[in-house]
Amino acid sequence: MVSTEYERKIAARFATFDQDGNGYIDREDFNAATKALLAEFDTAARSDKGQALYIGAEAFWQGMAGIADRDGDQRITREEFVGGAVKRLRDNPDRFAEIARPFLDAALAIADGDGDSAATVDEIARALKALGAPEAVATAAAGALDADADGQVTEPEIVSAFARYFTVPE
């Protein structure tokens, strides 16, 4: 049985995706996130990194819609998101990670200022702020993503943490 607390936590995650605050998640929310990251890191949309981010965002949107858009209207309501997360992802965070991986990989590449396949904690905080996280939350979350405390956030750290965050155990 799904607890009310679990549903509350998952519903709070919904706001992370609803970039424009209109009450549902759609392709435009993923495009807005992409544009915000590109602007924050002064990356051209037509560059290889920019194109990879757009492709990753589209793949992420398609995966999310496949899991949660129950009525097929190309919009995910809060209820659909909670239902999709509860029914399809709770016991399988790796599935969510695979859906998110192309976007997260591309976002990490954009945030990675020196091209060493890892972003600094400060770069990750910048990315999270660009995506709408309040500064204090972005700073704390970026620090927590650095699982081995080396000052760098790598792809395995970010993908694993992202999957855990969005597939909160009951």
Side-chain angles (χ1 to χ4, degrees):
M1 181 175 213
V2 176
S3 73
T4 302
E5 178 65 13
Y6 175 76
E7 286 189 16
R8 186 192 63 72
K9 287 178 182 177
I10 292 297
R13 288 2 181 216
F14 176 84
T16 303
F17 286 106
D18 186 11
Q19 291 281 304
D20 56 15
N22 64 0
Y24 55 85
I25 302 166
D26 62 7
R27 181 176 277 111
E28 288 308 310
D29 291 308
F30 286 83
N31 286 334
T34 298
K35 289 174 186 173
L37 285 170
L38 293 174
E40 177 62 29
F41 292 95
D42 197 26
T43 303
R46 292 191 182 267
S47 68
D48 289 344
K49 287 182 178 182
Q51 288 299 293
L53 190 61
Y54 273 108
I55 290 166
E58 179 62 20
F60 196 0
W61 161 246
Q62 290 295 328
M64 287 286 295
I67 288 170
D69 183 18
R70 303 319 309 155
D71 61 8
D73 67 354
Q74 295 296 298
R75 299 188 312 182
I76 301 168
T77 64
R78 181 178 177 266
E79 293 74 24
E80 286 174 323
F81 183 80
V82 170
V86 169
K87 292 184 176 130
R88 292 180 176 79
L89 297 175
R90 181 181 64 212
D91 299 324
N92 192 359
D94 291 338
R95 168 108 166 95
F96 193 75
E98 288 310 309
I99 291 168
R101 187 180 306 277
F103 179 76
L104 295 174
D105 284 347
L108 184 63
I110 285 173
D112 175 14
D114 62 7
D116 67 352
S117 299
T120 66
V121 171
D122 289 341
E123 289 167 334
I124 294 297
R126 279 180 60 199
L128 293 171
K129 285 187 281 188
L131 293 172
E135 185 166 351
V137 172
T139 301
L145 287 171
D146 182 14
D148 59 7
D150 67 352
Q152 301 283 314
V153 179
T154 62
E155 191 263 6
E157 288 171 317
I158 202 164
V159 171
S160 174
F162 193 83
R164 282 191 318 273
Y165 179 76
F166 284 100
T167 56
V168 176
E170 188 175 354

